[in-house]
Amino acid sequence: MLIAYHNGQFLPLAETRISVLDRGFLFAEAVYEVTAVIDGRLIDSASHLARLERSAAAIGLSLPLSTGQIEAAQKELAARNGLQEGLIYLQLTRGADSGRDFLPSPGLEPTLVMFTQAKRFLDSPAVQSGIAVVTTPDLRWARRDIKSVGLLAQAMAKQIAAEASAQEAWMVEDGFVTEGASSTAFLVTDEGIITRAYSQAVLAGCTGSAITALAEESGLTVVHRPFTVAEAVGAREAFITSASTLCQSVVRIDGRIIGNGSPGPIATRLRELYIDFARRTAV
């Protein structure tokens, strides 16, 4: 029986009840985070909580608990569910109102929910095989730096990927790749490791930031700039980063093989470095 967290209570997931008047449900007026768990401990927790604070502040939403209290609740939630490897999903909404109106009533109590999901990602078969990516127009709103639960465009992109037997979609705007539907996009070329600079056009990835720092510490060149689909197809390697995939090689883009069609040495090494970092710094 899975245990969830809801506004200070730990209770069976099946018994969790959220009002239909919650503004997260009615307006997607909510932000979220996904934190990886390895060996029963939280990975890169401080980065995820800092991003949660930024996202909440961007929509004028105060955290109902301190980040330390949220982290403690996440640890307890993982322990109650016996989670050794997987994810903790957190969602914070403006709260439930007395009716449906675009303007919220003053003094609403935020809704904070969390639940766990067991997921095998350390030795996933995709680590050895690599994944396929398809490209699709980026249909999202302009404030992509806010980790909003308004994920309709990303869900549509994921469906396009699934219909093409791919595991991720890279969204394209003005001829350039912005990011994956649920990941940060990277290339490896003679120029170095290429990834887009963080701005309002993309989400600042916690895993991507950590891997970028690890790459630079290892003496690798990281170039922050946009890249085209044509550049991606011609790259030596491509990979994605996210809390749920860590660092995952991309071996096909729109059906075209990248490099030799197998996970490349740079992405493979960065994955190893990240897992070592994750285990050393887990809480």
Side-chain angles (χ1 to χ4, degrees):
M1 178 178 64
L2 286 177
I3 301 298
Y5 173 96
H6 178 208
N7 286 353
Q9 292 186 303
F10 293 92
L11 66 166
L13 179 62
E15 296 178 14
T16 304
R17 299 290 182 268
I18 297 174
S19 170
V20 296
L21 294 177
D22 192 285
R23 294 182 66 83
F25 175 72
L26 294 176
F27 298 104
E29 193 172 358
V31 296
Y32 76 102
E33 277 295 331
V34 179
T35 303
V37 172
I38 296 176
D39 302 330
R41 298 193 296 165
L42 305 178
I43 303 306
D44 211 3
S45 176
S47 293
H48 285 282
L49 291 172
R51 188 172 62 182
L52 174 65
E53 283 189 299
R54 293 195 303 271
S55 293
I59 65 170
L61 183 57
S62 298
L63 301 186
L65 302 174
S66 70
T67 54
Q69 289 172 318
I70 292 174
E71 184 176 83
Q74 289 179 315
K75 289 179 180 179
E76 183 170 350
L77 187 62
R80 286 180 180 238
N81 286 293
L83 183 68
Q84 288 297 302
E85 183 177 340
L87 305 166
I88 295 179
Y89 178 86
L90 176 156
Q91 181 165 309
L92 176 67
T93 85
R94 179 89 53 197
D97 214 330
S98 58
R100 184 185 182 278
D101 195 300
F102 279 94
L103 291 176
S105 300
L108 293 182
E109 292 294 326
T111 300
L112 177 62
V113 295
M114 293 183 273
F115 60 85
T116 64
Q117 181 177 345
K119 181 179 175 65
R120 175 186 171 196
F121 46 71
L122 286 178
D123 61 349
S124 166
V127 175
Q128 302 301 322
S129 63
I131 64 168
V133 161
V134 296
T135 59
T136 185
D138 197 333
L139 304 177
R140 299 173 299 162
W141 73 320
R143 289 301 306 276
R144 300 159 191 166
D145 56 312
I146 301 171
K147 199 166 176 66
S148 162
V149 301
L151 297 171
L152 179 57
Q154 290 93 318
M156 292 170 64
K158 287 283 192 179
Q159 185 62 40
I160 290 169
E163 290 170 357
S165 299
Q167 291 72 50
E168 178 60 306
W170 278 4
M171 296 174 287
V172 179
E173 183 176 61
D174 299 328
F176 294 96
V177 173
T178 48
E179 57 192 329
S182 61
S183 63
T184 303
F186 290 81
L187 302 182
V188 179
T189 71
D190 291 340
E191 187 180 353
I193 298 172
I194 313 298
T195 191
R196 191 158 184 151
Y198 295 146
S199 67
Q200 290 187 359
V202 295
L203 179 71
C206 296
T207 307
S209 294
I211 285 177
T212 296
L214 291 167
E216 292 175 330
E217 289 172 10
S218 300
L220 297 171
T221 300
V222 178
V223 180
H224 295 276
R225 66 165 178 82
F227 59 82
T228 65
V229 176
E231 281 186 278
V233 171
R236 286 163 40 193
E237 297 182 41
F239 62 93
I240 61 170
T241 62
S242 71
S244 59
T245 60
L246 309 184
C247 180
Q248 173 63 64
S249 289
V250 173
V251 297
R252 289 192 308 280
I253 299 175
D254 290 337
R256 290 171 284 185
I257 293 174
I258 308 304
N260 64 6
S262 299
I266 298 297
T268 299
R269 178 57 179 155
L270 290 175
R271 181 181 176 84
E272 293 170 351
L273 289 173
Y274 182 75
I275 292 173
D276 177 67
F277 156 82
R279 284 186 158 136
R280 284 189 290 105
T281 60
V283 296

